[in-house]
Amino acid sequence: MTTIRTVTGQPAPVLGPAPQAAEGLDAYLAAGGYLPWPDPGTLLERVAAAGLRGRGGAGFPAAVKLRAVRDQPGTPVVVANGEEGEPGSVKDRWLLRARPHLVLDGLARAAAITGADRGYVYLSDDVAAERVRRALAERDLGPRVTVVLTEHTYVAGEESAVVRRIDGGPALPTAKPPRPYERGVGGAPTLVANVETLARLALLAGGGADPGSGAGAADTTLVTLSGGGRRALLTEAGHGTALHTLAALHGVPRPRAVLMGGLFGGLLGPDRLGLRLRQDELAAVGSGLGCGAIRFLGDDECPVGAAADAVALLAAESSRQCGVCVSGTRAMATTLAALAAGGCGTDGTENLARWSQGLPGRGACGLLDAGARLTGSLLAHFPHLVAAHLRRPCERCAAAPPDDGRRLRVPVPHITADTGPRARQTART
């Protein structure tokens, strides 16, 4: 089970005042949602001034992405991307289940900014899909919005895979260019935006749970904390929050290692707990915030075993379209599993070092890069543990052999359905 808490002293505009219950239209309107102002141009300026970055993984400036779609010829399409393939993340599914109107408000704002006349909500969670459909029945957004379900895989949320699936194909990445903002759904310029990004766009417009100007909406981020034998935790933290603060909040104040950004940010040692949730600080040490999933390894968990688990999951989730990705992830996973089992020689670790440096950028999506970063971060931050595994088997790894990443998965917090008057009327009709 996953619980929900806020970081002491930090604002929580996205979690809102009642995060355990789904928010219906009445509650969202009462909190200031769907305001007719500001106009699209003013809102875009506000997004740029706030420095809002995407929350799907790459952290790209939201205003730049919105302008790029707006300025393309043709009528754009906007997509709320709620398909989170990272096994340690639950924030997007929680948002769609608990605050669908906040996401849809942001989608409508993005449509107004870009000039889109239709949109999609893309996801794989049946519960979230039902909540979104009910919210759409409660409120006419203006642009025509369609809910598209897909299979839950690691690569299904990659933006070109999103476009491909909406167009009727498989949810698999395509070669780039063109990118979706140039030619996406049906050949139209397409904004593929993470649902948390859209929620924060709505808040910057003065929407629900953050009355007024939406100040601070761009300065916090949803994070999913797991590991250390503790129940997973969904929380919202300011970008100035240090990892040690989150580790203490999660109940693992002295972790052996940190698995950052889902499988995107690699492993960090305990000497890096002073790092804050800032893109520049994390990038400076070769890591990243990614989707905001952070796993703190406890005393009974080994970083070598965690890396083997994570890369095994990536190898299993490869889309099988790029030969270098299939062979590369499989080779890294096999060698890391051998290292965890005490059956790897120095030639194996030399290969791991070579792969971690030579494989990034050679696949159609970021899956291969994630595997290489995980491998390289293990070698860089835990050389003593790697050397120890070459000398003798590890008791921790033997007690928890790689399971293709199943232990990395986090359940979505239970969200009670809205039972307000509009929800009951919608259910009847």
Side-chain angles (χ1 to χ4, degrees), residues 91-300:
K91 69 180 181 70
D92 295 333
R93 283 166 289 173
W94 179 86
L95 263 172
L96 291 167
R97 291 184 182 193
R99 304 206 66 194
H101 282 291
L102 182 64
V103 176
L104 292 174
D105 192 352
L107 185 65
R109 308 279 182 179
I113 290 172
T114 59
D117 63 357
R118 58 193 170 109
Y120 296 86
V121 179
Y122 176 84
L123 72 177
S124 64
D125 180 34
D126 289 334
V127 176
E130 185 274 330
R131 301 276 171 86
V132 171
R133 289 192 183 104
R134 187 167 62 183
L136 287 169
E138 290 183 309
R139 177 80 180 189
D140 180 6
L141 295 182
R144 185 173 71 256
V145 177
T146 304
V147 176
V148 175
L149 277 163
T150 188
E151 291 187 13
H152 180 65
T153 67
Y154 187 83
V155 299
E158 193 272 342
E159 63 175 5
S160 66
V162 173
V163 169
R164 193 174 180 183
R165 173 67 186 88
I166 292 174
D167 276 342
L172 298 174
T174 59
K176 294 170 279 291
R179 294 191 175 275
Y181 81 89
E182 298 169 307
R183 188 165 71 247
V185 175
T190 300
L191 175 77
V192 180
N194 173 261
V195 297
E196 184 187 349
T197 311
L198 294 173
R200 295 187 180 280
L201 179 62
L203 290 170
L204 285 167
D210 192 27
S213 66
D219 299 329
T220 63
T221 190
L222 291 177
V223 290
T224 311
L225 309 179
S226 61
R230 309 287 295 182
R231 179 181 293 176
L233 172 66
L234 176 65
T235 188
E236 187 165 8
H239 290 148
T241 305
L243 290 178
H244 61 71
T245 300
L246 295 176
L249 179 72
H250 185 52
V252 190
R254 290 180 292 278
R256 298 192 76 211
V258 184
L259 183 59
M260 275 298 303
L263 308 183
F264 169 83
L267 286 160
L268 295 173
D271 59 322
R272 301 293 189 177
L273 289 174
L275 288 169
R276 296 173 294 175
L277 302 181
R278 296 191 183 279
Q279 297 280 358
D280 55 347
E281 289 189 21
L282 293 168
V285 297
S287 186
L289 182 59
C291 64
I294 303 173
R295 186 175 181 87
F296 295 107
L297 275 61
D299 288 338
D300 62 341

